[in-house]
Amino acid sequence: MNSSIALKVENVNKIYRQGNENINALKNISFEVKTGEIFGLLGPNGAGKSTFINILAGTVNKTNGYVNVWGFNLDKNPRQVRASIGIVPQEINVDPFFSPRKLLNLQAGLYGIKKKDRITEEILELTNLSDKANAYSRSLSGGMKRRLLVAKAMVHQPPILILDEPTAGVDVDLRRKLLESVRTLNKQGVTIIYTTHYLKEASDICNRIAIVNKGELVALNSTQELLKNNSDLEEVFIDLTKN
Ligand code: ADP
């Protein structure tokens, strides 16, 4: 695969079976994420964003289609795919009695990273948590906890970082700081996939945006091109969120 492509998705479908009902959560989705970009996956609740992330994470099996992450075919090399991505979850899931430094070292241990190969201090620095490295995680603010989730996802130095609606319930100032951390990581060369249901947020940070609705890819363009037709887009988006 061309190394300028970080992620390639071709004709991916996901059908959940619920009782006698089939739920088409992803319908023939195809797109590419370029290496080094901040790519937005935008869509209202129920669009299929989590399903897509879970497929990459290996916790949901796609029904069919082709997925390649960092040159690895998901069907043939699922472990390499997982090693190539870091996922920042929606929910804050850090042990309140450990410090950020301890948590990052534990996470590195889970990935089998030897002490001498760990980059704990660099990650703390990048996510602006060095000052709080030894504080109980429970004493961190909401924004700091979210940055700690970003830090945790970076421990194995994945080239691709996926953020799953990372600003839910975060106030304006903390949101700004979180987005700054994401930009800093991107400047260090990390490819970012950013899911959100806020058009404004996606357009603030993303180079390109894909819009999904009811499992279908309904738009994909550079942020600038998408916003050129701003009023139309807002209408489309309001329509989407109403459904
Ligand atoms: P989003 O993350 O964009 O809100 P999801 O991927 O969570 O969307 O959901 C997409 C669709 O798939 C929804 O209709 C949802 O109800 C359905 N869905 C998600 N997970 C399951 C599941 N485990 N079993 C059945 N249906 C599911």
Side-chain angles (χ1 to χ4, degrees):
M1 194 172 70
N2 186 330
S3 62
S4 64
I5 303 299
L7 169 80
K8 188 180 178 72
V9 180
E10 256 173 20
N11 304 324
V12 167
N13 287 283
K14 173 63 192 177
I15 299 170
Y16 292 108
R17 186 93 186 134
Q18 211 172 48
N20 286 330
E21 208 190 336
N22 281 339
I23 299 167
N24 275 18
L26 292 176
K27 299 175 192 163
N28 232 25
I29 295 274
S30 300
F31 63 88
E32 289 177 352
V33 176
K34 296 174 193 165
T35 300
E37 74 177 336
I38 305 184
F39 183 89
L41 196 59
L42 178 68
N45 286 333
K49 303 182 298 295
S50 302
T51 297
F52 177 71
I53 293 176
N54 291 336
I55 288 172
L56 296 181
T59 55
V60 165
N61 290 323
K62 60 185 162 55
T63 304
N64 55 39
Y66 172 78
V67 175
N68 187 303
V69 180
W70 211 246
F72 299 109
N73 180 331
L74 177 63
D75 295 327
K76 294 186 182 151
N77 304 104
R79 278 188 44 219
Q80 285 88 338
V81 166
R82 273 201 295 285
S84 304
I85 55 177
I87 298 184
V88 182
Q90 267 174 35
E91 312 273 316
I92 290 174
N93 60 352
V94 292
D95 190 310
F97 294 104
F98 288 140
S99 68
R101 185 174 277 134
K102 177 85 183 160
L103 274 167
L104 296 186
N105 278 322
L106 284 172
Q107 183 78 359
L110 286 179
Y111 273 95
I113 303 166
K114 295 192 188 103
K115 285 215 167 94
K116 67 175 176 51
D117 296 326
R118 293 182 189 172
I119 53 158
T120 310
E121 302 310 315
E122 285 93 321
I123 296 174
L124 286 168
E125 188 74 31
L126 269 175
T127 49
N128 221 347
L129 286 169
S130 300
D131 291 355
K132 296 283 177 180
N134 291 321
Y136 276 144
S137 292
R138 65 173 174 179
S139 71
L140 304 183
S141 70
M144 288 172 187
K145 281 182 189 145
R146 294 213 181 244
R147 296 210 299 279
L148 182 54
L149 295 182
V150 174
K152 236 178 117 186
M154 289 305 298
V155 155
H156 59 296
Q157 300 189 56
I160 304 171
L161 187 67
I162 302 178
L163 294 111
D164 187 6
E165 309 225 8
T167 60
V170 171
D171 74 31
V172 176
D173 188 43
L174 298 179
R175 175 181 164 277
R176 191 178 49 74
K177 287 190 184 139
L178 183 76
L179 295 187
E180 261 171 36
S181 292
V182 173
R183 284 196 192 94
T184 305
L185 286 169
N186 179 247
K187 283 195 188 121
Q188 307 280 322
V190 181
T191 302
I192 310 278
I193 299 174
Y194 193 99
T195 82
T196 177
H197 56 264
Y198 298 115
L199 173 60
K200 166 92 175 68
E201 190 164 298
S203 56
D204 276 353
I205 191 165
C206 298
N207 307 118
R208 290 195 307 146
I209 297 175
I211 302 181
V212 282
N213 186 38
K214 295 181 183 161
E216 285 182 81
L217 188 73
V218 294
L220 170 57
N221 216 329
S222 67
T223 304
Q224 210 181 2
E225 287 296 317
L226 267 178
L227 293 182
K228 252 190 201 165
N229 255 328
N230 196 359
S231 54
D232 286 9
L233 180 63
E234 295 228 338
E235 263 170 43
V236 171
F237 207 69
I238 288 162
D239 275 355
L240 294 182
T241 47
K242 264 197 297 206
N243 291 332

